[in-house]
Amino acid sequence: MTTAPLAGRLDGLLFFPVTAFAPDGSLDLDAFRAHVRAGVDAGAAAVFACCGTGEFHALTPEEFRICVAAAVEETAGRVPVVAGAGYGTALAIQYARLAEEAGADGLLAMPPYLVVADQAGLLRHYTELAAATSLDVIVYQRDNAILTPATAVALARTDGVIGIKDGLGDLDLMQRIVSAVRAEGLDLLYFNGLPTAELTCAAYRGIGVTLYSSAVFCFAPDLALAFHRALATGDDDTVNLLVDGFYRPLVELRSQGRGYAVSLVKAAVRMGGLDVGEVRPPLSEPAPEHLAELARLVERGRALLKEAGA
């Protein structure tokens, strides 16, 4: 765990490593460590361990604790480590405390399991989670956890809540949330958390949301970093080249199968030479023809980088 405030350290590409499994389905900690280490060495600004891409839903509490501790050890304070926390309030608090014991710097609060709660229930859930740990909390808005601007303002007033990661993609709602929090003189961090965030980065930047998570960084950090640099420096030609030739086709491929936001990423990491194993049930592996298309897309993306001189 680092001593500097988390909010001030989340500046750059956010790395969501996959969780590695051995052929028998057990945790492969050596491969996970190598994956985290490679991401940090490549230039990740933060490691979000055991979150969506990391199959939080498929990990036991002990596996979760082991992985978060391993991520903390591998980063060695160079970048912050944020761990997932989810399910109902009692279990989310249990995961939060495990993450704190493992040395994490913060939490990404996943949507509560299954139920569709009203705004009062969501606010109570996140407030109790934040109160149960000293770790800073980022609320993940998606699926059954959609916030109104008024709830976002209440969260901004909650000790320990520092941000909202948006996985919904409703820019009108996000603009109203940003505006409502700002109008109250409050502050939150906002993240574009869509599965392939690069496709919508330009739109999010228009409402002041510049931070984003990059699944592509897991398997092609050179592509992800080149896009990030182009976006930050206003190199629209490179941004558009990569969106049109790589990111849009990747999103179209991702839409071809259930769970591909995780399983395609994990397959691409394997293609890159690190055997992180397959996804755990209930997810399944991508179809062979989709894996072949994935390999072609990564090759094409790198060819586009050479063309752009990026």
Side-chain angles (χ1 to χ4, degrees):
M1 184 175 183
T2 52
T3 56
L6 177 61
R9 303 189 72 210
L10 295 174
D11 183 18
L13 270 184
L14 309 179
F15 173 35
F16 284 64
V18 302
T19 300
F21 301 124
D24 65 358
S26 63
L27 195 65
D28 187 340
L29 199 58
D30 289 341
F32 176 74
R33 285 179 175 275
H35 184 44
V36 170
R37 190 164 58 246
V40 175
D41 289 346
V47 173
F48 281 66
C50 304
C51 295
T53 309
E55 296 180 78
F56 170 79
H57 66 276
L59 299 175
T60 68
E62 180 61 11
E63 289 173 330
F64 170 86
R65 184 194 64 78
I66 290 170
C67 283
V68 174
V72 170
E73 289 175 8
E74 291 301 330
T75 59
R78 289 179 290 168
V79 299
V81 174
V82 179
Y87 305 116
T89 306
L91 271 177
I93 288 172
Q94 179 182 341
Y95 278 97
R97 288 174 175 163
L98 288 172
E100 187 169 11
E101 291 169 10
D105 298 281
L107 299 171
L108 178 63
M110 308 288 195
Y113 172 71
L114 192 61
V115 296
V116 179
D118 61 14
Q119 293 297 298
L122 288 173
L123 181 59
R124 182 180 175 189
H125 172 75
Y126 296 121
T127 300
E128 291 188 9
L129 176 61
T133 172
S134 66
L135 299 181
D136 288 330
V137 176
I138 299 164
V139 174
Y140 196 178
Q141 169 170 264
R142 59 175 292 171
D143 300 323
N144 60 330
I146 309 303
L147 310 172
T148 64
T151 300
V153 168
L155 286 172
R157 298 186 191 279
T158 301
D159 288 342
V161 176
I162 66 165
I164 295 172
K165 179 185 179 187
D166 181 53
L168 178 64
D170 184 337
L171 289 175
D172 174 85
L173 174 60
M174 279 305 296
Q175 177 66 87
R176 287 185 287 119
I177 285 173
V178 171
S179 175
V181 172
R182 183 174 59 226
E184 292 297 318
L186 301 169
D187 205 11
L188 282 175
L189 292 177
Y190 302 100
F191 307 80
N192 174 357
L194 291 175
T196 306
E198 286 90 346
L199 196 65
T200 54
C201 276
Y204 273 86
R205 287 177 76 88
I207 60 171
V209 179
T210 59
L211 292 169
Y212 65 93
S213 54
S214 175
V216 170
F217 186 88
C218 282
F219 60 87
D222 52 340
L223 285 169
L225 288 166
F227 180 90
H228 187 263
R229 284 192 301 270
L231 190 69
T233 59
D235 181 0
D236 292 341
D237 288 341
T238 299
V239 167
N240 292 336
L241 188 69
L242 290 174
V243 165
D244 295 347
F246 174 70
Y247 284 105
R248 178 178 54 80
L250 180 64
V251 169
E252 290 170 351
L253 176 60
R254 192 192 69 219
S255 70
Q256 297 301 305
R258 295 280 190 179
Y260 272 19
V262 177
S263 60
L264 272 181
V265 172
K266 203 163 195 180
V269 175
R270 294 196 304 269
M271 288 178 184
L274 181 62
D275 187 0
V276 291
E278 298 185 349
V279 290
R280 279 180 173 173
L283 297 181
S284 58
E285 288 297 298
E289 63 271 23
H290 294 155
L291 292 177
E293 178 61 20
L294 176 62
R296 286 192 292 269
L297 275 176
V298 174
E299 183 178 353
R300 183 181 183 190
R302 291 193 166 122
L304 290 172
L305 277 191
K306 289 183 180 179
E307 179 183 330

